[in-house]
Amino acid sequence: MKQLILIFSVIFCITISAQSAKDIIDKNIENSGGLTNWKLLNTVQIQGRVTLGVNDSYLMKIYQQRPNLTKTAIVMGGKETPVEGYDGTNGYAMNYAQNKLQKYNDYIPESFDNDFIDWENKGFEAELLGKEKIGEQVYFKVELTKNVNKTIYFFDVKNYMLFREIKKDETLTYSDYRKVGNLLMPYRIESSSPKKDSDYVMMINKIEINKELPKNTFKF
């Protein structure tokens, strides 16, 4: 009996150690809604509150539409003031020194899909760096590399949900996952940077997906 238990224990350990970065990414996609549902996602509207530092807090709305249209706006007195976005041709960002929105022809928009969707076709290489304990929890540590750019991701070892993303100049921490349609999305996002000059916490109160957006949504 003890020998059987030992054999099963060895098999279990081999199975765990045989997991690859691809396995973990695939499980994350599957557990958060499935590849088909992520690819059927066309628009996202997010409402929440962003807190900067201790006292600065703002209502915020974010609009996103496939393939890469985006607009982030601060809401004050019921009025939306765009602070950043991409209209399909040009990028825009608030110039706070001049207190006006500035156009950037060389703006590089982010992909509508996260890096995990079709990561191999996008030219990424993935490597499992093992496990790491953060606080009281243990996470899979996966590194995605494309050219010279490296991003490290931490996934919960139990449910494979993304917990943390470490980029060159920013660390993002995700929590409070909730069901939005067929997808699981984080309702709390915390950002920190080495200089601590742009840290924020975003508490989301509403996410709407696949609703048709007005044609002027991404006009700046």
PDB file of all heavy atoms in Angstrom, residues 125-145:
ATOM      1  N   GLU A 125       7.871  34.601 -27.126  1.00  0.00           N
ATOM      2  CA  GLU A 125       8.409  33.368 -26.575  1.00  0.00           C
ATOM      3  C   GLU A 125       8.043  33.326 -25.097  1.00  0.00           C
ATOM      4  O   GLU A 125       8.104  34.342 -24.408  1.00  0.00           O
ATOM      5  CB  GLU A 125       9.937  33.303 -26.737  1.00  0.00           C
ATOM      6  CG  GLU A 125      10.384  33.200 -28.187  1.00  0.00           C
ATOM      7  CD  GLU A 125      11.891  33.078 -28.311  1.00  0.00           C
ATOM      8  OE1 GLU A 125      12.577  33.066 -27.255  1.00  0.00           O
ATOM      9  OE2 GLU A 125      12.386  33.019 -29.449  1.00  0.00           O
ATOM     10  N   ALA A 126       7.622  32.165 -24.625  1.00  0.00           N
ATOM     11  CA  ALA A 126       7.180  32.031 -23.231  1.00  0.00           C
ATOM     12  C   ALA A 126       8.066  31.039 -22.495  1.00  0.00           C
ATOM     13  O   ALA A 126       8.435  29.994 -23.031  1.00  0.00           O
ATOM     14  CB  ALA A 126       5.724  31.579 -23.181  1.00  0.00           C
ATOM     15  N   GLU A 127       8.375  31.396 -21.256  1.00  0.00           N
ATOM     16  CA  GLU A 127       9.212  30.523 -20.425  1.00  0.00           C
ATOM     17  C   GLU A 127       8.659  30.473 -19.007  1.00  0.00           C
ATOM     18  O   GLU A 127       8.343  31.513 -18.420  1.00  0.00           O
ATOM     19  CB  GLU A 127      10.651  31.032 -20.385  1.00  0.00           C
ATOM     20  CG  GLU A 127      11.587  30.163 -19.562  1.00  0.00           C
ATOM     21  CD  GLU A 127      13.004  30.701 -19.491  1.00  0.00           C
ATOM     22  OE1 GLU A 127      13.272  31.767 -20.088  1.00  0.00           O
ATOM     23  OE2 GLU A 127      13.848  30.061 -18.823  1.00  0.00           O
ATOM     24  N   LEU A 128       8.508  29.267 -18.483  1.00  0.00           N
ATOM     25  CA  LEU A 128       8.088  29.095 -17.098  1.00  0.00           C
ATOM     26  C   LEU A 128       9.315  29.214 -16.200  1.00  0.00           C
ATOM     27  O   LEU A 128      10.261  28.438 -16.324  1.00  0.00           O
ATOM     28  CB  LEU A 128       7.414  27.736 -16.914  1.00  0.00           C
ATOM     29  CG  LEU A 128       7.011  27.346 -15.484  1.00  0.00           C
ATOM     30  CD1 LEU A 128       6.050  28.357 -14.886  1.00  0.00           C
ATOM     31  CD2 LEU A 128       6.398  25.948 -15.473  1.00  0.00           C
ATOM     32  N   LEU A 129       9.301  30.201 -15.299  1.00  0.00           N
ATOM     33  CA  LEU A 129      10.440  30.448 -14.425  1.00  0.00           C
ATOM     34  C   LEU A 129      10.281  29.781 -13.061  1.00  0.00           C
ATOM     35  O   LEU A 129      11.063  30.045 -12.151  1.00  0.00           O
ATOM     36  CB  LEU A 129      10.642  31.958 -14.238  1.00  0.00           C
ATOM     37  CG  LEU A 129      10.854  32.775 -15.520  1.00  0.00           C
ATOM     38  CD1 LEU A 129      11.033  34.245 -15.187  1.00  0.00           C
ATOM     39  CD2 LEU A 129      12.046  32.251 -16.308  1.00  0.00           C
ATOM     40  N   GLY A 130       9.265  28.939 -12.929  1.00  0.00           N
ATOM     41  CA  GLY A 130       9.036  28.244 -11.665  1.00  0.00           C
ATOM     42  C   GLY A 130       7.871  28.834 -10.898  1.00  0.00           C
ATOM     43  O   GLY A 130       6.943  29.403 -11.481  1.00  0.00           O
ATOM     44  N   LYS A 131       7.920  28.711  -9.588  1.00  0.00           N
ATOM     45  CA  LYS A 131       6.879  29.253  -8.714  1.00  0.00           C
ATOM     46  C   LYS A 131       7.496  30.258  -7.750  1.00  0.00           C
ATOM     47  O   LYS A 131       8.682  30.178  -7.435  1.00  0.00           O
ATOM     48  CB  LYS A 131       6.191  28.134  -7.924  1.00  0.00           C
ATOM     49  CG  LYS A 131       5.445  27.118  -8.780  1.00  0.00           C
ATOM     50  CD  LYS A 131       4.834  26.034  -7.905  1.00  0.00           C
ATOM     51  CE  LYS A 131       4.133  24.975  -8.731  1.00  0.00           C
ATOM     52  NZ  LYS A 131       3.589  23.890  -7.887  1.00  0.00           N
ATOM     53  N   GLU A 132       6.671  31.181  -7.291  1.00  0.00           N
ATOM     54  CA  GLU A 132       7.147  32.184  -6.343  1.00  0.00           C
ATOM     55  C   GLU A 132       6.041  32.507  -5.342  1.00  0.00           C
ATOM     56  O   GLU A 132       4.870  32.611  -5.723  1.00  0.00           O
ATOM     57  CB  GLU A 132       7.586  33.449  -7.072  1.00  0.00           C
ATOM     58  CG  GLU A 132       8.239  34.483  -6.169  1.00  0.00           C
ATOM     59  CD  GLU A 132       8.899  35.598  -6.953  1.00  0.00           C
ATOM     60  OE1 GLU A 132       9.597  35.294  -7.958  1.00  0.00           O
ATOM     61  OE2 GLU A 132       8.726  36.770  -6.560  1.00  0.00           O
ATOM     62  N   LYS A 133       6.434  32.671  -4.096  1.00  0.00           N
ATOM     63  CA  LYS A 133       5.468  33.004  -3.052  1.00  0.00           C
ATOM     64  C   LYS A 133       5.414  34.514  -2.879  1.00  0.00           C
ATOM     65  O   LYS A 133       6.431  35.168  -2.692  1.00  0.00           O
ATOM     66  CB  LYS A 133       5.853  32.334  -1.731  1.00  0.00           C
ATOM     67  CG  LYS A 133       4.787  32.454  -0.652  1.00  0.00           C
ATOM     68  CD  LYS A 133       5.161  31.652   0.586  1.00  0.00           C
ATOM     69  CE  LYS A 133       4.052  31.717   1.638  1.00  0.00           C
ATOM     70  NZ  LYS A 133       4.416  30.944   2.859  1.00  0.00           N
ATOM     71  N   ILE A 134       4.204  35.051  -2.951  1.00  0.00           N
ATOM     72  CA  ILE A 134       3.971  36.475  -2.723  1.00  0.00           C
ATOM     73  C   ILE A 134       2.936  36.579  -1.608  1.00  0.00           C
ATOM     74  O   ILE A 134       1.802  36.155  -1.778  1.00  0.00           O
ATOM     75  CB  ILE A 134       3.468  37.187  -3.986  1.00  0.00           C
ATOM     76  CG1 ILE A 134       4.476  37.019  -5.129  1.00  0.00           C
ATOM     77  CG2 ILE A 134       3.227  38.669  -3.719  1.00  0.00           C
ATOM     78  CD1 ILE A 134       4.011  37.594  -6.447  1.00  0.00           C
ATOM     79  N   GLY A 135       3.342  37.126  -0.476  1.00  0.00           N
ATOM     80  CA  GLY A 135       2.453  37.115   0.683  1.00  0.00           C
ATOM     81  C   GLY A 135       2.265  35.683   1.145  1.00  0.00           C
ATOM     82  O   GLY A 135       3.235  34.969   1.380  1.00  0.00           O
ATOM     83  N   GLU A 136       1.018  35.257   1.236  1.00  0.00           N
ATOM     84  CA  GLU A 136       0.710  33.896   1.665  1.00  0.00           C
ATOM     85  C   GLU A 136       0.357  32.977   0.490  1.00  0.00           C
ATOM     86  O   GLU A 136       0.045  31.820   0.687  1.00  0.00           O
ATOM     87  CB  GLU A 136      -0.467  33.919   2.663  1.00  0.00           C
ATOM     88  CG  GLU A 136      -0.168  34.684   3.952  1.00  0.00           C
ATOM     89  CD  GLU A 136       1.002  34.088   4.722  1.00  0.00           C
ATOM     90  OE1 GLU A 136       1.080  32.853   4.832  1.00  0.00           O
ATOM     91  OE2 GLU A 136       1.853  34.867   5.196  1.00  0.00           O
ATOM     92  N   GLN A 137       0.397  33.517  -0.720  1.00  0.00           N
ATOM     93  CA  GLN A 137      -0.016  32.741  -1.886  1.00  0.00           C
ATOM     94  C   GLN A 137       1.187  32.358  -2.751  1.00  0.00           C
ATOM     95  O   GLN A 137       2.194  33.054  -2.782  1.00  0.00           O
ATOM     96  CB  GLN A 137      -1.013  33.545  -2.736  1.00  0.00           C
ATOM     97  CG  GLN A 137      -2.271  33.969  -1.988  1.00  0.00           C
ATOM     98  CD  GLN A 137      -3.119  32.791  -1.556  1.00  0.00           C
ATOM     99  OE1 GLN A 137      -3.230  31.799  -2.272  1.00  0.00           O
ATOM    100  NE2 GLN A 137      -3.721  32.890  -0.389  1.00  0.00           N
ATOM    101  N   VAL A 138       1.030  31.259  -3.483  1.00  0.00           N
ATOM    102  CA  VAL A 138       2.062  30.794  -4.405  1.00  0.00           C
ATOM    103  C   VAL A 138       1.567  30.994  -5.832  1.00  0.00           C
ATOM    104  O   VAL A 138       0.400  30.736  -6.142  1.00  0.00           O
ATOM    105  CB  VAL A 138       2.408  29.309  -4.159  1.00  0.00           C
ATOM    106  CG1 VAL A 138       3.445  28.824  -5.167  1.00  0.00           C
ATOM    107  CG2 VAL A 138       2.926  29.120  -2.739  1.00  0.00           C
ATOM    108  N   TYR A 139       2.452  31.449  -6.703  1.00  0.00           N
ATOM    109  CA  TYR A 139       2.074  31.753  -8.087  1.00  0.00           C
ATOM    110  C   TYR A 139       3.066  31.139  -9.066  1.00  0.00           C
ATOM    111  O   TYR A 139       4.261  31.025  -8.775  1.00  0.00           O
ATOM    112  CB  TYR A 139       2.044  33.276  -8.303  1.00  0.00           C
ATOM    113  CG  TYR A 139       1.064  33.988  -7.419  1.00  0.00           C
ATOM    114  CD1 TYR A 139       1.459  34.489  -6.170  1.00  0.00           C
ATOM    115  CD2 TYR A 139      -0.263  34.153  -7.797  1.00  0.00           C
ATOM    116  CE1 TYR A 139       0.560  35.140  -5.337  1.00  0.00           C
ATOM    117  CE2 TYR A 139      -1.169  34.794  -6.978  1.00  0.00           C
ATOM    118  CZ  TYR A 139      -0.758  35.286  -5.746  1.00  0.00           C
ATOM    119  OH  TYR A 139      -1.642  35.919  -4.921  1.00  0.00           O
ATOM    120  N   PHE A 140       2.542  30.741 -10.239  1.00  0.00           N
ATOM    121  CA  PHE A 140       3.407  30.387 -11.361  1.00  0.00           C
ATOM    122  C   PHE A 140       4.025  31.683 -11.885  1.00  0.00           C
ATOM    123  O   PHE A 140       3.343  32.700 -12.008  1.00  0.00           O
ATOM    124  CB  PHE A 140       2.612  29.725 -12.496  1.00  0.00           C
ATOM    125  CG  PHE A 140       2.118  28.341 -12.171  1.00  0.00           C
ATOM    126  CD1 PHE A 140       0.766  28.091 -12.055  1.00  0.00           C
ATOM    127  CD2 PHE A 140       3.011  27.290 -12.009  1.00  0.00           C
ATOM    128  CE1 PHE A 140       0.299  26.818 -11.776  1.00  0.00           C
ATOM    129  CE2 PHE A 140       2.553  26.001 -11.726  1.00  0.00           C
ATOM    130  CZ  PHE A 140       1.198  25.773 -11.600  1.00  0.00           C
ATOM    131  N   LYS A 141       5.287  31.616 -12.242  1.00  0.00           N
ATOM    132  CA  LYS A 141       5.996  32.784 -12.765  1.00  0.00           C
ATOM    133  C   LYS A 141       6.358  32.514 -14.222  1.00  0.00           C
ATOM    134  O   LYS A 141       7.142  31.623 -14.524  1.00  0.00           O
ATOM    135  CB  LYS A 141       7.250  33.049 -11.932  1.00  0.00           C
ATOM    136  CG  LYS A 141       7.996  34.327 -12.268  1.00  0.00           C
ATOM    137  CD  LYS A 141       9.171  34.509 -11.313  1.00  0.00           C
ATOM    138  CE  LYS A 141       9.919  35.801 -11.567  1.00  0.00           C
ATOM    139  NZ  LYS A 141      11.073  35.962 -10.627  1.00  0.00           N
ATOM    140  N   VAL A 142       5.760  33.285 -15.137  1.00  0.00           N
ATOM    141  CA  VAL A 142       5.946  33.078 -16.571  1.00  0.00           C
ATOM    142  C   VAL A 142       6.505  34.351 -17.193  1.00  0.00           C
ATOM    143  O   VAL A 142       6.029  35.451 -16.906  1.00  0.00           O
ATOM    144  CB  VAL A 142       4.614  32.699 -17.252  1.00  0.00           C
ATOM    145  CG1 VAL A 142       4.776  32.650 -18.770  1.00  0.00           C
ATOM    146  CG2 VAL A 142       4.108  31.354 -16.735  1.00  0.00           C
ATOM    147  N   GLU A 143       7.477  34.191 -18.069  1.00  0.00           N
ATOM    148  CA  GLU A 143       8.065  35.332 -18.757  1.00  0.00           C
ATOM    149  C   GLU A 143       7.726  35.267 -20.239  1.00  0.00           C
ATOM    150  O   GLU A 143       7.928  34.239 -20.898  1.00  0.00           O
ATOM    151  CB  GLU A 143       9.575  35.348 -18.588  1.00  0.00           C
ATOM    152  CG  GLU A 143      10.260  36.547 -19.257  1.00  0.00           C
ATOM    153  CD  GLU A 143      11.762  36.532 -19.057  1.00  0.00           C
ATOM    154  OE1 GLU A 143      12.433  35.686 -19.695  1.00  0.00           O
ATOM    155  OE2 GLU A 143      12.259  37.340 -18.247  1.00  0.00           O
ATOM    156  N   LEU A 144       7.169  36.372 -20.764  1.00  0.00           N
ATOM    157  CA  LEU A 144       6.921  36.507 -22.196  1.00  0.00           C
ATOM    158  C   LEU A 144       7.961  37.460 -22.767  1.00  0.00           C
ATOM    159  O   LEU A 144       8.160  38.556 -22.234  1.00  0.00           O
ATOM    160  CB  LEU A 144       5.519  37.053 -22.470  1.00  0.00           C
ATOM    161  CG  LEU A 144       4.329  36.083 -22.453  1.00  0.00           C
ATOM    162  CD1 LEU A 144       3.078  36.793 -22.916  1.00  0.00           C
ATOM    163  CD2 LEU A 144       4.584  34.861 -23.303  1.00  0.00           C
ATOM    164  N   THR A 145       8.589  37.047 -23.858  1.00  0.00           N
ATOM    165  CA  THR A 145       9.636  37.860 -24.468  1.00  0.00           C
ATOM    166  C   THR A 145       9.342  38.069 -25.946  1.00  0.00           C
ATOM    167  O   THR A 145       8.953  37.143 -26.654  1.00  0.00           O
ATOM    168  CB  THR A 145      11.016  37.173 -24.336  1.00  0.00           C
ATOM    169  OG1 THR A 145      11.282  36.917 -22.956  1.00  0.00           O
ATOM    170  CG2 THR A 145      12.110  38.058 -24.896  1.00  0.00           C
TER     171      THR A 145
END
